Amino acid sequence: MFNLILFGPPGSGKGTQSEKLIAKYGFKHLSTGDLLRSEIANKTSLGLEAKNFMDSGQLVPDEVVIGMISSALDSNADAKGFLFDGFPRTDAQAEALDKLLKIKKTNIGIMLALEVSEEELLTRLLKRGETSGRSDDTNEKVIRARIAEYHRKTSAVAEYYKKSTAVELIKGEGTIESIFNALCKAIDKRL
């Protein structure tokens, strides 16, 4: 089983590249947002617990999110690997994920971080905001704050993984195909 983390700030193309990587390698996509919505929709005990936190305006605790990831790993035991999309976001989450994966007798094979200039991200997100209906993609000040928050948290996670896992910085500007090829090259070196 080969597991990877795909990181990138909002607008870096994670969604597009995730789809292409999943199609090529057969990875199972693990997005914590998707997991939360699924667990809540299915009214699982973890989903109901998460909903209680969300309904009261609180962040879902790491233990609950890790529990959902554990369930997803168990229910997809035959997967070729997992693509973690934007998770873990903190050192504590990275440590918890590593402990969980060790119990499951696997690990993170590589962390790929898409690097895109702030001005390019701003252009992409404002353009996406014109068609997506996402209010957080229409305000330049909000976008810049999201990008700053990403850099504050993610740099620590990248440092954490540099101790034990390959971390590759991938230029996230250019054609979709050239970025995809760079991601594949980094993965193929580790498979």
Side-chain angles (χ1 to χ4, degrees), residues 41-175:
N42 292 324
K43 295 183 169 60
T44 67
S45 59
L46 285 170
L48 295 172
E49 189 177 350
K51 188 175 183 331
N52 287 336
F53 284 104
M54 293 163 70
D55 288 349
S56 64
Q58 298 176 33
L59 291 175
V60 178
D62 290 348
E63 310 82 66
V64 175
V65 175
I66 290 292
M68 291 178 183
I69 290 171
S70 180
S71 294
L73 293 173
D74 290 344
S75 59
N76 295 282
D78 59 339
K80 293 179 180 177
F82 291 87
L83 187 154
F84 291 88
D85 179 352
F87 182 89
R89 294 176 191 259
T90 65
D91 275 358
Q93 289 176 350
E95 288 175 22
L97 179 61
D98 277 357
K99 285 179 186 167
L100 172 66
L101 293 176
K102 190 173 184 179
I103 291 167
K104 307 285 185 190
K105 297 183 175 24
T106 187
N107 63 358
I108 296 296
I110 191 168
M111 177 184 171
L112 300 170
L114 293 168
E115 293 194 308
V116 182
S117 73
E118 186 167 331
E119 291 313 307
E120 176 66 16
L121 292 170
L122 186 61
T123 301
R124 289 180 186 181
L125 289 170
L126 288 171
K127 187 173 182 174
R128 184 171 83 182
E130 293 171 8
T131 57
S132 71
R134 288 182 54 170
S135 61
D136 60 341
D137 285 346
T138 58
N139 181 317
E140 183 175 333
K141 195 172 183 179
V142 171
I143 291 169
R144 288 191 190 278
R146 286 167 54 207
I147 294 167
E149 178 73 0
Y150 165 82
H151 287 298
R152 249 191 320 280
K153 289 183 175 177
T154 307
S155 58
V157 174
E159 288 304 313
Y160 172 86
Y161 278 107
K162 282 180 183 174
K163 295 173 198 163
S164 62
T165 305
V167 174
E168 295 245 2
L169 306 177
I170 305 291
K171 187 174 186 292
E173 295 181 41
T175 66

Side-chain angles (χ1 to χ4, degrees), residues 10-35:
S12 62
K14 285 186 309 293
T16 300
Q17 296 299 337
S18 289
E19 287 177 20
K20 292 177 73 61
L21 292 171
I22 289 163
K24 177 174 179 166
Y25 294 100
F27 296 133
K28 176 76 178 152
H29 187 229
L30 273 185
S31 156
T32 51
D34 292 347
L35 281 177

